[in-house]
Amino acid sequence: MQESDLRKSVAELLVIRASGHLFDSQRLYPQWELNNKELKRLLEIGVGGVILFGGSTHEVEQRSKTLKSWAGKPLLLCADVEEGLGQRFQGGTWLVPPLAVGQIHRKDPAKAIELAKNYGVCTGFQARMCGLNWILAPVCDINNNPNNPVINMRAWGEDPVTVSALIHSFNRGLASQGVLTCAKHFPGHGDTCIDSHLGLPILDHDLNRLKEFEFLPFKAAITSGVDSVMSAHVLLPNIDSKYPATVSPKILNLLRENLFFDGLVVTDALIMESITKTYGSSEAALMAFAAGADLLMMPENPDDVIDAICESLLSGRVPLQRLDQALHRRKKVLSKFEASTPKLTSDKVHNDLHEIERDWDRNLAEELISYSIKLPHQVVLGENYDGINMVRVDSVLPCPFLTPVAPALSVPQEAGYRSVLSHQLGIDPWQDDPENPLALDRFGKGSFFVQLFVRGHPFRGALDNQEPWLAAIKQLQRQNRLSGLVVYGNPYLWDELLPFLNSSVAVAYSPGQMPAAQRQVLNSLFQKRNLKKGFQSQQNFEFTD
Amino acid sequence: MQESDLRKSVAELLVIRASGHLFDSQRLYPQWELNNKELKRLLEIGVGGVILFGGSTHEVEQRSKTLKSWAGKPLLLCADVEEGLGQRFQGGTWLVPPLAVGQIHRKDPAKAIELAKNYGVCTGFQARMCGLNWILAPVCDINNNPNNPVINMRAWGEDPVTVSALIHSFNRGLASQGVLTCAKHFPGHGDTCIDSHLGLPILDHDLNRLKEFEFLPFKAAITSGVDSVMSAHVLLPNIDSKYPATVSPKILNLLRENLFFDGLVVTDALIMESITKTYGSSEAALMAFAAGADLLMMPENPDDVIDAICESLLSGRVPLQRLDQALHRRKKVLSKFEASTPKLTSDKVHNDLHEIERDWDRNLAEELISYSIKLPHQVVLGENYDGINMVRVDSVLPCPFLTPVAPALSVPQEAGYRSVLSHQLGIDPWQDDPENPLALDRFGKGSFFVQLFVRGHPFRGALDNQEPWLAAIKQLQRQNRLSGLVVYGNPYLWDELLPFLNSSVAVAYSPGQMPAAQRQVLNSLFQKRNLKKGFQSQQNFEFTD
């Protein structure tokens, strides 16, 4: 093989990151998202995959076409849309987190299995409609550690049986739409309490434990024909005392020899600190490739990775078969996609608006919400012109579920409440008193309707857990100033707070944080006459910015 | 004429509102932006104009095509892009407010005239590239009242000579790109201190005063060939004691008989409270039509307006000539657009990315910023790991100039400052002490770098003026806790604060609030070694949401 051909072949194994938006100026994370000039150059030298974040589905549709034309060959175009296209792309359907389906499974397994399949159909259909061919799901991790900051609600359940059953069904739904799928994060990232974006989690499990527990969902995914498996950046000293899974030949081999998986192995993002801290991004990519990974996700410097791998192949440090094997698997999976003929025709809604969301999708999203919300007290809220609608979110820049007309703001406002937003960059609502942690003088008089948008997020670590919400709720109840509480997201926080909530308080839980979930919850908690008023609150009167 | 033809003809006079986004779910103001089904129906019954808000330029391009195909005939497609396409549409160029050019005109009139022309070329070119044919600019109001809450920085100056010179040049730049233009808000909205979105401003001027002052920029616009004039919702009792300009035959006639304007007269938005409170939206539309307006902007209920006007024509309350006249003017203006052949070819950048911003546009935006920022003290800021970067904005949901990587956050953070965002929905930073209005205990220890994003906005009335910034600045200086201050926007606030700022404080003013303006200002105020660090602060480390 000529050196230039070798470079082209190696480049095929890389998956680089791009914004789904069309213009460089629209990128939300310009430090991680390549500009168009760089993207074009890398695709022209042979890079074989792109992962997209952000933008509308219409933009992604255009984007996919552009990227393919730059590459001049079939590409792997993927997205991290574990919770439906709407999780990342405007105009797509945003579904409740998988853990909500796991909760439904406890009460009604058959319904949950059906919902999981439809979840996959919805996601696969919409992905394909906007030109994506590879979905980075299902998450096969078992969230048996409530303090897991990064997997958390992304998991389909807390035990292997639930997760296996649901991801099997979900994966079949996805595959029915002709898109490629990805089981993650091998050998299991559920039992950690460190965010691998920030540090390296260590798991004490031996092979027997993995076989009996962590491996089961991966087995189910493989049985249901999953096309790829993503490695985790976790260290399992009982299996490989030195190398984290992503760069461990021993652990990646388990996938081949123990689980008989012959599809693509892809690394988790190679810019994550857990791996870059020790090895650097390029060395980690080379090690992963040598250890058996076929595709290298989001390396910090793609050119360096191509150089390093070419050098290792030419010098014999890594045998050329490794490259052939990876290229062969990639080709096989891509040709499976090219040959797929999903039944799109009858459902097709791709009209002159370039809509990809069908009534069927919208109904599914609403059904998932209504099956997953909890309303334990029968307390209804009325008008309250002294009320404080305290909304806690992680970040407002941006906050995809908090638009100017989000029900979390507009519904309480229509009932007279004054909204106060609490977020990471805002003035701190806390004071230094463990019994009375909320600095109530910063809010003025009136009773509180508290809405907590809390869930594990990559990069935030256990940040959420540091806020003393139980003490704050007790403080408000002692002072007779709590009229309502909604938790959107984290079920463990909900479980912690519920036993302490007075029966006179209007309370609710929703795993989903999206506006549709807010609407269902608040329609139940507030009297309808308030809702019918329409948009009369100050916030909503404006018609321009 | 058959009644169905009459309805179609009347419908042509309406301009209805739509989101620039493609999908109903993406609308930011769903109470004001028609859904697609309604839009399609109204275009099919003959509605002749659409005003677009929001979305990316790529979406607007697609949107324009869709709307035209629904209408099946030439449409007036307009936008309120007084400050460049980027003011409303992502991917377009966002220029400093016109008042900044007015300030440049004081120092260097020739440069300002040149910049105003280029301002028009940039806006017209980009509008045309995304399918818009009618720009709702130039603003011809003279902002001689610093307390004007709604015109404010949208005006090209504070005196008739400056405004006339600049809008003449700007309008020629716009027209050179083949788009239609609109002088507003007749007979002049600069000398008011009430926001006509909220209440009806009353102006005490008589005809002589108007002729000597307010009319001059309109004359200049008409001389430079402006295609339409927008009426103001203001009452001038000395001219018409009963009817506000929009519905006053006397005032609209001045335009024809005194200023010899024979183009289109369009109303300001008919959903604005100043007009709907007294007349209701449909009655106001009918009255405006009867008074001489040719086009009716954003009526609340388009069907009712069509009914009311048809009835008045059939009953003879309004003569049929009024309709013929309006239709004739609309046709004439539209055919001027159809016949225009702007010199797009050489500058065309419409590549596979659908970019509409050229290097030329970017350079113009940067040049306008660098000519308009003020840096009176030579104080440079260094690292400060106790520092508080207090950023005051109106609203964070959404805040178009405050992205997660906005320089207003990232630059001070790279120098060690901790950002605290103050906004309408956040916890109040104020306490009830006129001498010490800032509740400093809510911020923790450390010195403040204060960034005030303040300017008049429709709907906000004089809200900005209610915050005691002068007292707050004095308070911080007394306590030796002010390290820097930047005002982005309102020049009057800047003029008020500057005399009181110690020479040891790093200070700056920028009329523009966009990220490019933040970058220029903060690159000057902070030492470069801090800027070169790259994205290391907590906020910017994240690579996903």
Side-chain angles (χ1 to χ4, degrees), chain B residues 421-441:
Chain B
L421 216 56
S422 171
H423 57 97
Q424 212 183 326
L425 286 180
I427 295 173
D428 206 334
W430 305 110
Q431 63 191 6
D432 199 16
D433 176 351
E435 296 293 307
N436 298 288
L438 269 181
L440 291 177
D441 60 309

mmCIF file of all heavy atoms in Angstrom, chain B residues 421-441:
data_model
loop_
_atom_site.group_PDB
_atom_site.id
_atom_site.type_symbol
_atom_site.label_atom_id
_atom_site.label_comp_id
_atom_site.label_asym_id
_atom_site.label_seq_id
_atom_site.Cartn_x
_atom_site.Cartn_y
_atom_site.Cartn_z
ATOM 1 N N LEU B 421 -24.779 36.514 36.709
ATOM 2 C CA LEU B 421 -25.681 37.095 35.731
ATOM 3 C C LEU B 421 -26.861 37.727 36.444
ATOM 4 O O LEU B 421 -27.487 37.098 37.292
ATOM 5 C CB LEU B 421 -26.184 35.951 34.853
ATOM 6 C CG LEU B 421 -26.421 36.206 33.393
ATOM 7 C CD1 LEU B 421 -25.172 36.740 32.746
ATOM 8 C CD2 LEU B 421 -26.829 34.899 32.732
ATOM 9 N N SER B 422 -27.162 38.964 36.098
ATOM 10 C CA SER B 422 -28.325 39.614 36.689
ATOM 11 C C SER B 422 -29.334 39.860 35.578
ATOM 12 O O SER B 422 -28.981 40.400 34.533
ATOM 13 C CB SER B 422 -27.878 40.932 37.317
ATOM 14 O OG SER B 422 -28.994 41.681 37.703
ATOM 15 N N HIS B 423 -30.540 39.401 35.757
ATOM 16 C CA HIS B 423 -31.563 39.538 34.723
ATOM 17 C C HIS B 423 -32.939 39.570 35.365
ATOM 18 O O HIS B 423 -33.098 39.241 36.544
ATOM 19 C CB HIS B 423 -31.469 38.389 33.713
ATOM 20 C CG HIS B 423 -31.592 37.035 34.349
ATOM 21 N ND1 HIS B 423 -32.763 36.346 34.381
ATOM 22 C CD2 HIS B 423 -30.689 36.275 35.002
ATOM 23 C CE1 HIS B 423 -32.575 35.202 35.025
ATOM 24 N NE2 HIS B 423 -31.327 35.132 35.411
ATOM 25 N N GLN B 424 -33.896 39.949 34.526
ATOM 26 C CA GLN B 424 -35.264 40.181 34.963
ATOM 27 C C GLN B 424 -35.864 39.035 35.799
ATOM 28 O O GLN B 424 -36.622 39.268 36.722
ATOM 29 C CB GLN B 424 -36.084 40.319 33.684
ATOM 30 C CG GLN B 424 -37.239 41.232 33.744
ATOM 31 C CD GLN B 424 -37.965 41.151 32.388
ATOM 32 O OE1 GLN B 424 -37.355 40.971 31.342
ATOM 33 N NE2 GLN B 424 -39.274 41.264 32.433
ATOM 34 N N LEU B 425 -35.537 37.790 35.453
ATOM 35 C CA LEU B 425 -36.128 36.642 36.142
ATOM 36 C C LEU B 425 -35.240 36.108 37.260
ATOM 37 O O LEU B 425 -35.588 35.124 37.903
ATOM 38 C CB LEU B 425 -36.404 35.494 35.159
ATOM 39 C CG LEU B 425 -37.580 35.638 34.207
ATOM 40 C CD1 LEU B 425 -37.686 34.407 33.317
ATOM 41 C CD2 LEU B 425 -38.889 35.822 34.970
ATOM 42 N N GLY B 426 -34.085 36.714 37.468
ATOM 43 C CA GLY B 426 -33.175 36.191 38.483
ATOM 44 C C GLY B 426 -33.479 36.741 39.867
ATOM 45 O O GLY B 426 -34.386 37.555 40.058
ATOM 46 N N ILE B 427 -32.700 36.302 40.838
ATOM 47 C CA ILE B 427 -32.819 36.858 42.182
ATOM 48 C C ILE B 427 -32.364 38.312 42.117
ATOM 49 O O ILE B 427 -31.338 38.633 41.510
ATOM 50 C CB ILE B 427 -31.955 36.055 43.178
ATOM 51 C CG1 ILE B 427 -32.501 34.623 43.290
ATOM 52 C CG2 ILE B 427 -31.918 36.742 44.544
ATOM 53 C CD1 ILE B 427 -31.635 33.700 44.116
ATOM 54 N N ASP B 428 -33.125 39.175 42.726
ATOM 55 C CA ASP B 428 -32.898 40.618 42.682
ATOM 56 C C ASP B 428 -31.547 40.996 43.303
ATOM 57 O O ASP B 428 -31.252 40.589 44.416
ATOM 58 C CB ASP B 428 -34.048 41.271 43.474
ATOM 59 C CG ASP B 428 -34.306 42.684 43.020
ATOM 60 O OD1 ASP B 428 -33.369 43.325 42.511
ATOM 61 O OD2 ASP B 428 -35.450 43.133 43.161
ATOM 62 N N PRO B 429 -30.729 41.789 42.599
ATOM 63 C CA PRO B 429 -29.467 42.235 43.211
ATOM 64 C C PRO B 429 -29.643 43.484 44.072
ATOM 65 O O PRO B 429 -28.684 43.956 44.665
ATOM 66 C CB PRO B 429 -28.595 42.550 41.998
ATOM 67 C CG PRO B 429 -29.563 42.992 40.953
ATOM 68 C CD PRO B 429 -30.850 42.233 41.198
ATOM 69 N N TRP B 430 -30.859 44.001 44.118
ATOM 70 C CA TRP B 430 -31.072 45.296 44.770
ATOM 71 C C TRP B 430 -31.607 45.162 46.191
ATOM 72 O O TRP B 430 -32.310 44.222 46.510
ATOM 73 C CB TRP B 430 -32.062 46.145 43.949
ATOM 74 C CG TRP B 430 -31.639 46.317 42.529
ATOM 75 C CD1 TRP B 430 -32.227 45.769 41.433
ATOM 76 C CD2 TRP B 430 -30.506 47.056 42.045
ATOM 77 N NE1 TRP B 430 -31.553 46.123 40.283
ATOM 78 C CE2 TRP B 430 -30.485 46.928 40.631
ATOM 79 C CE3 TRP B 430 -29.518 47.830 42.655
ATOM 80 C CZ2 TRP B 430 -29.519 47.524 39.834
ATOM 81 C CZ3 TRP B 430 -28.552 48.426 41.855
ATOM 82 C CH2 TRP B 430 -28.563 48.274 40.460
ATOM 83 N N GLN B 431 -31.272 46.154 47.021
ATOM 84 C CA GLN B 431 -31.864 46.251 48.357
ATOM 85 C C GLN B 431 -32.415 47.656 48.540
ATOM 86 O O GLN B 431 -32.125 48.549 47.753
ATOM 87 C CB GLN B 431 -30.825 45.930 49.430
ATOM 88 C CG GLN B 431 -29.656 46.911 49.468
ATOM 89 C CD GLN B 431 -28.504 46.431 50.347
ATOM 90 O OE1 GLN B 431 -28.520 45.314 50.840
ATOM 91 N NE2 GLN B 431 -27.506 47.287 50.514
ATOM 92 N N ASP B 432 -33.179 47.837 49.581
ATOM 93 C CA ASP B 432 -33.921 49.076 49.765
ATOM 94 C C ASP B 432 -33.086 50.128 50.496
ATOM 95 O O ASP B 432 -33.388 50.504 51.623
ATOM 96 C CB ASP B 432 -35.210 48.749 50.548
ATOM 97 C CG ASP B 432 -36.243 49.862 50.379
ATOM 98 O OD1 ASP B 432 -36.067 50.680 49.455
ATOM 99 O OD2 ASP B 432 -37.188 49.902 51.178
ATOM 100 N N ASP B 433 -32.031 50.605 49.874
ATOM 101 C CA ASP B 433 -31.161 51.617 50.479
ATOM 102 C C ASP B 433 -30.633 52.485 49.334
ATOM 103 O O ASP B 433 -29.732 52.077 48.600
ATOM 104 C CB ASP B 433 -30.011 50.926 51.224
ATOM 105 C CG ASP B 433 -29.000 51.919 51.792
ATOM 106 O OD1 ASP B 433 -29.085 53.139 51.474
ATOM 107 O OD2 ASP B 433 -28.121 51.480 52.545
ATOM 108 N N PRO B 434 -31.177 53.685 49.168
ATOM 109 C CA PRO B 434 -30.844 54.517 47.998
ATOM 110 C C PRO B 434 -29.347 54.807 47.873
ATOM 111 O O PRO B 434 -28.827 54.945 46.768
ATOM 112 C CB PRO B 434 -31.621 55.813 48.238
ATOM 113 C CG PRO B 434 -32.667 55.475 49.248
ATOM 114 C CD PRO B 434 -32.151 54.336 50.055
ATOM 115 N N GLU B 435 -28.636 54.892 49.003
ATOM 116 C CA GLU B 435 -27.208 55.179 48.953
ATOM 117 C C GLU B 435 -26.391 53.931 48.609
ATOM 118 O O GLU B 435 -25.312 54.008 48.053
ATOM 119 C CB GLU B 435 -26.724 55.744 50.306
ATOM 120 C CG GLU B 435 -27.330 57.079 50.683
ATOM 121 C CD GLU B 435 -26.858 58.184 49.750
ATOM 122 O OE1 GLU B 435 -25.634 58.340 49.587
ATOM 123 O OE2 GLU B 435 -27.726 58.877 49.159
ATOM 124 N N ASN B 436 -26.917 52.782 49.028
ATOM 125 C CA ASN B 436 -26.222 51.509 48.818
ATOM 126 C C ASN B 436 -27.186 50.502 48.199
ATOM 127 O O ASN B 436 -27.594 49.532 48.831
ATOM 128 C CB ASN B 436 -25.690 50.960 50.149
ATOM 129 C CG ASN B 436 -24.677 51.905 50.771
ATOM 130 O OD1 ASN B 436 -23.563 52.036 50.283
ATOM 131 N ND2 ASN B 436 -25.104 52.589 51.831
ATOM 132 N N PRO B 437 -27.568 50.753 46.948
ATOM 133 C CA PRO B 437 -28.650 49.952 46.374
ATOM 134 C C PRO B 437 -28.289 48.503 46.074
ATOM 135 O O PRO B 437 -29.161 47.644 46.064
ATOM 136 C CB PRO B 437 -29.003 50.704 45.081
ATOM 137 C CG PRO B 437 -27.779 51.470 44.727
ATOM 138 C CD PRO B 437 -27.131 51.831 46.023
ATOM 139 N N LEU B 438 -26.994 48.209 45.831
ATOM 140 C CA LEU B 438 -26.622 46.819 45.529
ATOM 141 C C LEU B 438 -26.538 46.011 46.817
ATOM 142 O O LEU B 438 -25.864 46.417 47.765
ATOM 143 C CB LEU B 438 -25.267 46.765 44.818
ATOM 144 C CG LEU B 438 -25.244 46.807 43.293
ATOM 145 C CD1 LEU B 438 -23.799 46.728 42.795
ATOM 146 C CD2 LEU B 438 -26.067 45.679 42.672
ATOM 147 N N ALA B 439 -27.210 44.866 46.830
ATOM 148 C CA ALA B 439 -27.144 43.972 47.985
ATOM 149 C C ALA B 439 -25.867 43.155 47.876
ATOM 150 O O ALA B 439 -25.859 42.035 47.364
ATOM 151 C CB ALA B 439 -28.377 43.082 48.030
ATOM 152 N N LEU B 440 -24.770 43.738 48.355
ATOM 153 C CA LEU B 440 -23.449 43.148 48.109
ATOM 154 C C LEU B 440 -23.267 41.777 48.744
ATOM 155 O O LEU B 440 -22.510 40.946 48.235
ATOM 156 C CB LEU B 440 -22.357 44.107 48.582
ATOM 157 C CG LEU B 440 -22.235 45.382 47.733
ATOM 158 C CD1 LEU B 440 -21.188 46.320 48.316
ATOM 159 C CD2 LEU B 440 -21.876 45.026 46.295
ATOM 160 N N ASP B 441 -23.987 41.522 49.838
ATOM 161 C CA ASP B 441 -23.827 40.216 50.501
ATOM 162 C C ASP B 441 -24.300 39.067 49.611
ATOM 163 O O ASP B 441 -23.977 37.918 49.857
ATOM 164 C CB ASP B 441 -24.598 40.207 51.821
ATOM 165 C CG ASP B 441 -26.084 40.459 51.601
ATOM 166 O OD1 ASP B 441 -26.416 41.456 50.910
ATOM 167 O OD2 ASP B 441 -26.913 39.650 52.075
#
